Amino acid sequence: LVRSEVTRSRAKSKARAVGTLTMVYDHHVRELSEKLTDIQHELGDKVRSTLHIHLDHDLCLEVIVLRGRADELQGVADRLLATKGVLQGGLELIAEPADTKAKHPHPPH
């Protein structure tokens, strides 16, 4: 529990973080899919992956994996969730350990 609370508090700061943004939206809203895609393209390498699922005739679920500064990712999530046609969603952030690069010397993707 303590580790979880420390991680949550770091994720509210300028600490590096990874996160998932989950959204449910009505794909019949005019140009919504294009707006969501455009915003993601503007974010560049902050967007690591996206999963898109058709729930039914009207609704889609999208999960976006993000990486960057926690406060910036929260701003991105707020912007996407406020887009007209997005019905609900949420962001789950996990602060990266401070010594991530020392343990994982792989080149960036």
Side-chain angles (χ1 to χ4, degrees):
L1 289 173
V2 172
R3 184 180 313 159
S4 177
E5 193 54 40
V6 168
T7 299
R8 272 198 195 112
S9 68
R10 284 193 69 224
K12 293 177 184 175
S13 69
K14 294 182 179 184
R16 300 257 327 143
V18 294
T20 55
L21 173 61
T22 304
M23 302 181 294
V24 174
Y25 64 90
D26 181 348
H27 76 262
H28 292 296
V29 171
R30 183 181 164 113
E31 298 182 10
L32 176 59
S33 295
E34 291 83 2
K35 287 178 188 174
L36 296 175
T37 299
D38 287 346
I39 292 170
Q40 290 178 55
H41 283 155
E42 289 171 18
L43 298 171
D45 66 352
K46 284 184 179 71
V47 175
R48 304 311 297 245
S49 184
T50 302
L51 172 66
H52 181 92
I53 300 169
H54 300 277
L55 296 175
D56 60 27
H57 183 265
D58 299 318
L59 300 178
C60 292
L61 178 135
E62 196 154 298
V63 179
I64 305 169
V65 179
L66 300 162
R67 187 174 190 190
R69 271 187 22 200
D71 59 332
E72 292 175 350
L73 298 183
Q74 185 64 61
V76 166
D78 292 344
R79 183 175 171 203
L80 286 163
L81 292 170
T83 305
K84 182 180 177 183
V86 175
L87 304 174
Q88 58 184 319
L91 175 67
E92 182 68 29
L93 285 177
I94 300 170
E96 292 184 17
D99 59 352
T100 299
K101 292 185 181 191
K103 291 182 182 178
H104 243 18
H106 301 286
H109 298 290

